[in-house]
Amino acid sequence: MYAPERQQEILRLAQEGGRVDVLSLAEEFQVTAETVRRDLKALDRAGLLRRVHGGAIPVGRLDFEPDLAERDAVAADEKDRIARAALAELPADGNVIIDAGTTTARLAAALPVDAALTVVTHALPVAARLADHPGIALHLVGGRVRHRTRAAVDAWALGSYAEISADVVFLATNGFAPDSGLTTPDLAEAAVKRAVVKAARRVVLLADSGKFGQRHFARFGDLTDVDLLITDTGLGPDDARAIESGGTEVVRA
């Protein structure tokens, strides 16, 4: 099958199913994942599909948001490396905010047994991982819980974060890029993320390289709001330098 034929079939599958993912397409067409990524890039440039983390969606479906378990299974090794690298950013006997996200949840799971911290979170998966931790003083922020992300949102969460001044926030995002900034599919989630950025003196973004260049419906900040980006080596040196030119330090784990 020639590339244009394959791309036409990918477009059909995306329109019928609402999304396509790289690994399934590679298996379907018996090609490499890199070949599929090139196809998706071509379709994105043509304005026929919009690339998202792990695959693509039809144009006009920028509100699509994969479920938590699906997102957690994507780039698992990279997320583990990012979480381990983030441990170096924990303040000694300080206080931190851990945002809702699959990589931030892995950070929570990786906290050493002897860690002594105050942790504030609105994410149920993060809280579940830390509830029995002997050295953690855990504060769970309430609000309406979104089923897709298991995160509290709306006025109660926003009000709580307005009263907090944390040493560091470990922030998550669905997409990041120098031009489009930090984005996520849901407006309520975006509002809480904006609040946690304001509530901390230092912002550490944990995001795997597959999210670079992705743009979602709700924008909640700029990369210049981020002090440190911890990502993986899939982010190329040129892209890392472009981000650093805006004042954000980049660590590729």
Side-chain angles (χ1 to χ4, degrees), residues 183-237:
T183 58
T184 194
D186 185 77
L187 285 169
E189 294 259 10
V192 176
K193 288 179 182 294
R194 200 174 296 116
V196 300
V197 168
K198 290 180 180 178
R201 292 183 287 279
R202 178 169 167 79
V203 178
V204 178
L205 176 64
L206 309 183
D208 66 80
S209 61
K211 296 175 182 176
F212 180 69
Q214 303 303 324
R215 181 180 304 179
H216 295 269
F217 175 64
R219 186 173 181 279
F220 61 91
D222 294 308
L223 271 172
T224 54
D225 298 325
V226 174
D227 297 291
L228 170 65
L229 163 65
I230 304 179
T231 186
D232 57 82
T233 52
L235 183 73

Side-chain angles (χ1 to χ4, degrees), residues 98-115:
I98 301 183
D99 186 21
T102 55
T103 310
T104 49
R106 287 171 186 259
L107 168 63
L111 290 183
V113 175
D114 60 352

Side-chain angles (χ1 to χ4, degrees), residues 141-142 154-164 195:
V141 169
D154 295 342
W156 190 358
L158 296 175
S160 297
Y161 279 122
E163 302 299 321
I164 290 171

Side-chain angles (χ1 to χ4, degrees), residues 39-51:
D39 288 335
L40 296 182
K41 187 175 182 179
L43 290 166
D44 183 274
R45 282 201 305 264
L48 299 172
L49 288 182
R50 178 70 66 194
R51 294 176 70 194

Side-chain angles (χ1 to χ4, degrees), residues 82-99 103-104 106-120 126 130 133 135-136 166-171 202-204 206 228 230:
I82 291 167
R84 287 194 296 270
L87 294 175
E89 302 305 315
L90 293 170
D93 299 319
N95 51 80
V96 304
I97 298 169
I98 301 183
D99 186 21
T103 310
T104 49
R106 287 171 186 259
L107 168 63
L111 290 183
V113 175
D114 60 352
L117 292 166
T118 296
V119 175
V120 182
V126 171
L130 296 178
H133 194 295
I136 299 299
D167 295 319
V168 184
V169 58
F170 292 96
L171 184 68
R202 178 169 167 79
V203 178
V204 178
L206 309 183
L228 170 65
I230 304 179

